[in-house]
Amino acid sequence: MITNNYYPCGRGGVLSVQKIPVGRHVGAGLERDVYLHPTNDGLVIKIRRKGATQDRNAIEHEYLSFVKSNPLLPRTYGWVETQLGRGLVYERIRDADGQTSATLATALKTGRVTPDGARLLMSGAVETLIRNGILVHDDNLNNFLVQRTGNRLNLVMVDGFGPLVMTLKARVRMYFPVLARHKISRHAQAPMPHLEKALEEMASCHAGLTGERAEGWVQVHGNEPAPELFNS
């Protein structure tokens, strides 16, 4: 439910008159901190850090206003004023149990998703990025959350999308993605090598384990990639 403390996302945005106190700190990126919304645990507020070189909130606000809606990207609900400065409100990506969804890197390390499951999820995400002409500037695996709802897994890209800098060229690519098809495709496929490298490192770690440590790793990950998306 959207309260009168903030307004639905629209180009340019509107700041709330009333300042709201942010909730618990739940995450951080290179240029922003993420806090729970104080009255709605289904929302988070991203606030630019002091000294950040780019205003990612402003860039993402404009970009998501253009994209409107995409299952791979989080919904945003506009601006708020907080005691820490202006923030942008996003949906909180959660599993069915209400807990914040794990990053793809964490889901792999903890066995929440199998190697083959991760490949399947990422290939689907890449296809969605290319089909919808979504710009990507940061392909880190930690920018993808694995949302588990019942027996279904979905990837949601919570950071790294949109242009790095909102230039005239970036806006042309937004409005005319056909003119940047090659660049969009190349950047969208970039997470796949990162995923394969992570899987190789995990396999190498597995090969170097002995005794009880190796047995525990096999119980979680298996000797061979399992066909299922996730381990129960």
Side-chain angles (χ1 to χ4, degrees):
M1 177 179 180
I2 298 178
T3 73
N4 59 8
N5 287 327
Y6 50 95
Y7 299 86
C9 182
R11 193 173 299 279
V14 179
L15 289 180
S16 62
V17 175
Q18 178 185 359
K19 287 189 178 182
I20 65 172
V22 297
R24 177 167 55 90
H25 185 268
V26 292
L30 292 177
E31 298 180 308
R32 293 179 293 183
D33 286 299
V34 186
Y35 300 87
L36 281 181
H37 190 279
T39 61
N40 188 334
D41 66 0
L43 302 173
V44 294
I45 302 173
K46 293 187 177 183
I47 299 176
R48 181 184 182 184
R49 288 180 178 172
K50 292 182 179 180
T53 57
Q54 294 288 337
D55 188 348
R56 289 306 313 164
N57 278 348
I59 294 172
E60 286 184 9
H61 179 263
E62 180 174 350
Y63 189 70
L64 290 174
S65 296
F66 167 77
V67 173
K68 300 299 184 184
S69 178
N70 187 286
L72 190 63
L73 302 180
R75 295 183 182 91
T76 183
Y77 296 103
W79 300 98
V80 291
E81 276 290 348
T82 77
Q83 81 275 27
L84 299 178
R86 185 174 74 158
L88 192 58
V89 180
Y90 287 83
E91 67 172 318
R92 179 185 174 196
I93 307 304
R94 298 188 291 179
D95 294 342
D97 61 3
Q99 297 299 310
T100 300
S101 300
T103 66
L104 179 56
T106 298
L108 277 169
K109 291 177 182 178
T110 59
R112 293 187 186 185
V113 63
T114 65
D116 274 3
R119 290 188 180 99
L120 185 61
L121 287 170
M122 185 58 75
S123 64
V126 168
E127 181 182 344
T128 298
L129 290 169
I130 295 174
R131 184 174 64 250
N132 292 277
I134 303 297
L135 300 176
V136 175
H137 71 270
D138 186 351
D139 47 38
N140 193 302
L141 296 185
N142 286 318
N143 290 333
F144 295 88
L145 298 190
V146 181
Q147 185 179 41
R148 181 171 181 173
T149 55
N151 291 327
R152 184 178 178 83
L153 289 181
N154 298 298
L155 273 190
V156 181
M157 192 174 190
V158 295
D159 204 350
F161 56 84
L164 179 61
V165 182
M166 191 60 79
T167 61
L168 176 60
K169 184 181 290 187
R171 289 188 174 94
V172 170
R173 289 173 179 153
M174 284 167 53
Y175 285 94
F176 304 100
V178 67
L179 300 179
R181 184 179 301 166
H182 176 70
K183 185 178 183 68
I184 289 173
S185 177
R186 177 164 51 86
H187 285 198
Q189 295 181 60
M192 289 301 294
H194 289 287
L195 174 59
E196 291 301 330
K197 182 178 179 180
L199 294 175
E200 289 177 5
E201 290 175 352
M202 288 172 53
S204 176
C205 177
H206 176 208
L209 297 179
T210 58
E212 293 181 359
R213 291 179 64 206
E215 182 180 353
W217 199 99
V218 171
Q219 287 175 353
V220 174
H221 298 275
N223 286 308
E224 300 293 339
E228 295 83 3
L229 285 179
F230 57 84
N231 294 308
S232 57

